[in-house]
Amino acid sequence: MEYRKLKDQDQDGASAPEDVESLRGKPISAVGPVERTKWKRKSIVTLALTFLTSSQAILIVWSKRAGKYEYSVTTANFSVEALKCALSLAALARIWSNEGVTEDNRLSTTLDEVGVYPIPALLYLVKNLLQYYIFAYVDAPGYQILKNLNIISTGVLYRIILKRKIILKRKLSEIQWAAFIILCAGCTTAQLNPKSDSVLQTPLQGWVMAIVMALLSGFAGVYTEAIIKKRPSRNINVQNFWLYVFGMAFNAVAIVIQDFDAVMNKGFFHGYSFITVLMILNHALSGIAVSMVMKYADNIVKVYSTSVAMLLTAVVSVFLFGFHLSLAFFLGSTVVSVAVYLHSIGKVQR
């Protein structure tokens, strides 16, 4: 797939704003072809990410047999990174064939440019491994709810890390900050457990893991977005390639540390099933969709795609796993939907 080069349209304040929020309220006829292309591209990757995210937790739970993973989760993670790397190379090969090799799409780079990728790669490694183990304490809909805790971490880190960066000259509006708080309240409400002495359905271990995952996901997401948008003309597939190369390296170390004996005795793909393969494919496409959102939209869009996916996961889980839609879950989901709407109408302050 070919990607249109992005230019920094914030320079000198002379060019049109690049955010979809700036196009809201304008008739389609009043929007230029470049803005329409960006709006369509952002909408497509956001919808794709929502679908992929909603099926992610379901496939992880479905890949279990008798409540256990018969495959090595470290090899599954490595396979995801390898597949993402291969897809990025395939996209680059097509671009090289059509456009030739340019300064912005060549793989060769400098140490300064590539040296920033190990940090998010390591953070994503820990976060991705934790998402397998958290299912010992939560079900698929509960997992999607707790993932929304990264709303706060993402918003705060946006403010701390990116507020003074030239690459992102903006801050969140009061409405969007309020949406953060409302969304987190909705997540907590959906976890209320009226049928037990325990106030919340998820035990303390699950909450701790969810908070750690939220911090890791928030920091890695904001940091990666800063890297990607620091050089907007750089082809996204080149940036993805180097991120996934480091992801493969760190996952290879994790295999040696955690599953070396199992891999040597049973094989790299021991315990894999058709659902496992679908899960790996889902994770790979989700990772690429996330990077596309970061390149052409922003990390907050990624967070709210995850929030909408919570509702879809709950509905599907009713039919696949017999999940019970309680009043608390329904009310919490409604609050989350309101928060998503508030964010969508919140104007970005420049």
Side-chain angles (χ1 to χ4, degrees):
M1 179 178 181
E2 300 180 18
Y3 306 115
R4 190 184 302 272
K5 293 183 179 180
L6 298 180
K7 295 182 179 178
D8 187 4
Q9 300 189 14
D10 283 327
Q11 288 184 339
D12 301 325
S15 55
E18 62 181 352
D19 291 299
V20 168
E21 287 84 355
S22 65
L23 306 179
R24 186 173 285 108
K26 294 183 179 181
I28 295 298
S29 59
V31 178
V34 175
E35 286 77 12
R36 282 200 299 269
T37 299
K38 291 177 181 178
W39 184 87
K40 290 179 181 178
R41 181 165 50 198
K42 182 175 181 178
S43 300
I44 290 172
V45 296
T46 303
L47 290 173
L49 180 61
T50 301
F51 171 77
L52 292 169
T53 303
S54 62
S55 57
Q56 194 171 91
I58 293 173
L59 289 173
I60 293 177
V61 174
W62 211 354
S63 69
K64 287 184 175 183
R65 294 178 181 175
K68 296 181 180 180
Y69 301 112
E70 294 192 357
Y71 57 90
S72 299
V73 295
T74 53
T75 63
N77 260 349
F78 181 90
S79 299
V80 169
E81 297 299 316
L83 181 56
K84 289 190 291 186
C85 192
L87 290 174
S88 297
L89 281 177
L92 277 173
R94 182 179 179 183
I95 293 174
W96 292 335
S97 175
N98 295 332
E99 302 178 3
V101 179
T102 66
E103 184 66 26
D104 290 327
N105 66 28
R106 66 173 70 246
L107 283 179
S108 58
T109 182
T110 63
L111 183 61
D112 289 339
E113 181 181 2
V114 77
V116 296
Y117 291 105
I119 295 177
L122 181 59
L123 293 174
Y124 280 127
L125 166 68
V126 180
K127 178 257 181 185
N128 289 337
L129 288 177
L130 282 177
Q131 75 178 348
Y132 289 96
Y133 299 113
I134 196 174
F135 284 104
Y137 307 102
V138 299
D139 50 23
Y143 169 75
Q144 290 289 12
I145 290 175
L146 293 177
K147 281 181 67 175
N148 289 287
L149 291 174
N150 66 8
I151 291 287
I152 293 180
S153 63
T154 300
V156 171
L157 290 169
Y158 239 93
R159 181 75 174 176
I160 295 174
I161 296 178
L162 297 179
K163 68 175 182 178
R164 292 187 177 90
K165 297 290 185 181
I166 298 177
I167 54 175
L168 273 170
K169 296 181 182 177
R170 68 185 185 183
K171 60 182 180 180
L172 299 171
S173 67
E174 287 87 352
I175 293 179
Q176 290 172 317
W177 280 109
F180 286 168
I181 298 173
I182 294 173
L183 183 50
C184 290
C187 294
T188 304
T189 302
Q191 279 290 293
L192 294 177
N193 188 4
K195 296 184 179 181
S196 173
D197 294 334
S198 177
V199 177
L200 300 176
Q201 297 180 14
T202 302
L204 178 61
Q205 300 94 318
W207 279 97
V208 171
M209 294 178 69
I211 291 173
V212 172
M213 287 179 62
L215 292 173
L216 292 172
S217 179
F219 185 79
V222 174
Y223 190 88
T224 303
E225 182 177 344
I227 294 173
I228 290 176
K229 287 186 174 178
K230 185 176 182 180
R231 186 177 174 183
S233 63
R234 190 68 154 142
N235 189 278
I236 182 64
N237 293 291
V238 175
Q239 296 170 315
N240 281 343
F241 172 81
W242 287 111
L243 178 63
Y244 301 150
V245 164
F246 283 104
M248 291 172 61
F250 286 129
N251 276 282
V253 174
I255 292 174
V256 173
I257 295 175
Q258 182 173 327
D259 295 312
F260 180 78
D261 290 339
V263 171
M264 294 300 295
N265 295 329
K266 300 179 182 179
F268 188 91
F269 298 106
H270 75 273
Y272 277 44
S273 64
F274 177 70
I275 300 300
T276 308
V277 174
L278 286 181
M279 180 197 69
I280 291 173
L281 180 61
N282 173 281
H283 276 67
L285 295 177
S286 297
I288 292 177
V290 166
S291 66
M292 293 288 291
V293 168
M294 290 180 181
K295 183 75 171 183
Y296 302 117
D298 55 49
N299 195 51
I300 301 298
V301 170
K302 184 197 75 171
V303 170
Y304 279 91
S305 295
T306 302
S307 301
V308 175
M310 176 192 69
L311 306 176
L312 299 178
T313 302
V315 173
V316 175
S317 295
V318 170
F319 299 98
L320 289 182
F321 310 121
F323 174 71
H324 175 66
L325 284 174
S326 64
L327 177 61
F329 189 93
F330 174 77
L331 293 176
S333 301
T334 303
V335 172
V336 168
S337 300
V338 171
V340 173
Y341 173 74
L342 288 176
H343 176 267
S344 68
I345 66 173
K347 293 181 179 180
V348 177
Q349 299 174 349
R350 292 279 179 179

